[in-house]
Amino acid sequence: PSFSADFRPNRFWFFNIKYKRSYFSDDNRQNHILGSVEYRLAHKPYVKLYYNYYYSGWAEPELNHGYFNPRLLRSHTLGAYTGIDLNKKLFIEVKASGGYEFQRKPDIAHKKSDHPTCYAAAGLNYRLTDNLLLSADGDFFTTWPDHGQRSYQKWGVYLNVTYNFGASPIGLR
């Protein structure tokens, strides 16, 4: 099960909270919470600052499958986002953030792993029609762990085609 709630008191502020409970085939369970606060600085170009809080807690502390599996993970992130229309059909998006992550693991030698994080993403979007969008995106995430452990990183390159079934054309968020 999951739920999400949004609150936008005016055109500048946006608040969101999401909760998800997951069940896995090894009898583990995960509680997942994401909260965010956004403040819009400008509309054209669209610029916003944001804060994200992330929590992930696992129910079975005895399971250790040897891959990335913290018992508890919390993070705080501050970031900035901008989206710029280059013309009527083409727009770009850029996002960057930095934060701090707190992990508790079953590994006895390194029970705690608290470290800074960094994220960057960019996308190029082309409106094929009012309701059809072609996007090319890339992102990168990294950490700087303590205790001489290796960092973990994630990067991706994505090509998306999005069709909007709604009445309004696709635009900047």
Side-chain angles (χ1 to χ4, degrees), residues 2 5 8 23 49 62 68 85 93 113 120 127 146 153 160-161 168 170:
S2 66
R8 187 179 300 275
Y23 300 89
L49 301 177
E62 300 307 315
F68 176 75
D85 283 325
E93 298 173 287
S113 180
R127 291 179 191 92
D146 52 4
Q153 298 177 342
N160 302 297
V161 176
S168 62
I170 298 168

Side-chain angles (χ1 to χ4, degrees), residues 56 70 72-76 100-104 113-115:
S56 176
L72 177 70
L73 186 132
R74 291 178 296 125
S75 72
H76 300 273
Y100 208 82
E101 186 172 89
F102 303 88
Q103 291 183 25
R104 301 300 172 260
S113 180
D114 303 338
H115 46 263

Side-chain angles (χ1 to χ4, degrees), residues 29-70:
R29 297 172 304 284
Q30 179 189 26
N31 288 311
H32 181 99
I33 299 169
L34 176 64
S36 62
V37 176
E38 299 176 1
Y39 182 75
R40 183 172 69 182
L41 295 173
H43 186 65
K44 291 217 181 230
Y46 190 88
V47 178
K48 70 180 177 183
L49 301 177
Y50 62 89
Y51 164 78
N52 287 337
Y53 171 77
Y54 175 80
Y55 168 88
S56 176
W58 297 83
E60 295 293 332
E62 300 307 315
L63 297 175
N64 187 351
H65 300 298
Y67 54 86
F68 176 75
N69 63 339

